[in-house]
Amino acid sequence: MLDMTDLVGVTFWIISAAMVAATYFFTVERDRAEGKWKTSLTVAALVTGIAAIHYFYMRGVWIDTQQSPIVFRYVDWLLTVPLQIVEFYLILAAIAVVRAALFWKLMIASLVMLIFGFLGEANLMNYWVGFIIGMAGWLYIIYEIFAGEASQISAAQGTEASKTAFNALRLIVTVGWAIYPIGYIVEPSMGAGALNIVYNLADFVNKIAFGVVIWVAATSSSRSTA
Ligand SMILES: *C/C=C(C)/C=C/C=C(C)/C=C/C1=C(C)CCCC1(C)C
């Protein structure tokens, strides 16, 4: 049972509902998007749909044990973060010819970030060593989208809609994603409850707002060309 005073459990519940609603929204709105943007909206719906399923289970783990659902959390991230990396690639591939190597660089960096974060959080390796290696993966992604090949392609060949989407997504990857390492840092002193509230809030921003950014670009681009 979900207890009224269980704030962490309540946030799990609210985010579950929001993920389901967002999935429905992106799926239905796909009809309004212009051709090449349709796939981006499909991927946005996959991200929130996969998260919804994991949130149902994570809520159960929390309510039963009052402990972090670490495995469900990282399985969810392992599926949804690569899909969000795919979004960057799709946005660029819609406007330019993009080398597959760029995709793999971003993908590998995101896997380093998640795998070492998991090893640290699950205490399968030193907590802070896992954190630092995970941080290196994230910082590499930030470098790539602000100064590397991805940013150069967007700046040189982007359309107005694609540039707006690219710039908003990189803001999410920098500011929105920063919420996760903050959760990781507060865990040792503030406990599993604080960690899960921070992660839940972060997922709300980074999965739903992320999809909304794509939805705005997808529907504005179809208006301007209609
Ligand atoms: C939908 C889920 C998303 C967007 C999850 C993103 C997760 C991160 C950006 C995690 C970052 C971490 C680090 C940068 C350092 C190591 C600890 C992590 C895994 C929490």
Side-chain angles (χ1 to χ4, degrees), residues 44-57:
L46 289 178
V47 167
T48 52
I50 291 169
I53 295 167
H54 287 82
Y55 264 83
F56 301 147
Y57 282 94

Side-chain angles (χ1 to χ4, degrees), residues 47 74 76-77 80-81 84 113-114 117-118 121 130-131 134-135 138 177 180-181 184 199 203 206-207:
V47 167
Y74 276 87
D76 171 9
W77 291 354
T80 54
V81 170
Q84 299 198 315
M113 175 181 89
L114 295 176
F118 174 76
E121 212 172 299
F131 179 75
M135 283 295 284
W138 177 49
W177 283 21
Y180 298 97
Y184 195 104
Y199 281 174
D203 277 355
N206 292 304
K207 293 187 165 64

Side-chain angles (χ1 to χ4, degrees), residues 19 47-48 51 55 73-74 76-82 84 110 112-121 127-139 141 172-173 176-185 195 199 202-208 210:
M19 291 294 176
V47 167
T48 52
Y55 264 83
R73 181 74 81 184
Y74 276 87
D76 171 9
W77 291 354
L78 216 52
L79 296 170
T80 54
V81 170
Q84 299 198 315
S110 70
V112 167
M113 175 181 89
L114 295 176
I115 289 168
F116 283 92
F118 174 76
L119 293 175
E121 212 172 299
Y127 192 80
W128 295 113
V129 174
F131 179 75
I132 288 165
I133 301 175
M135 283 295 284
W138 177 49
L139 292 175
I141 297 174
I172 289 182
V173 168
W177 283 21
I179 307 171
Y180 298 97
I182 291 172
Y184 195 104
I185 291 169
L195 173 81
Y199 281 174
D203 277 355
F204 184 81
V205 172
N206 292 304
K207 293 187 165 64
I208 298 178
F210 192 96

Side-chain angles (χ1 to χ4, degrees), residues 192-225:
L195 173 81
N196 282 284
I197 289 181
V198 174
Y199 281 174
N200 290 357
L201 171 76
D203 277 355
F204 184 81
V205 172
N206 292 304
K207 293 187 165 64
I208 298 178
F210 192 96
V212 168
V213 163
I214 289 157
W215 170 74
V216 169
T219 50
S220 71
S221 134
S222 62
R223 257 201 312 280
S224 60
T225 53

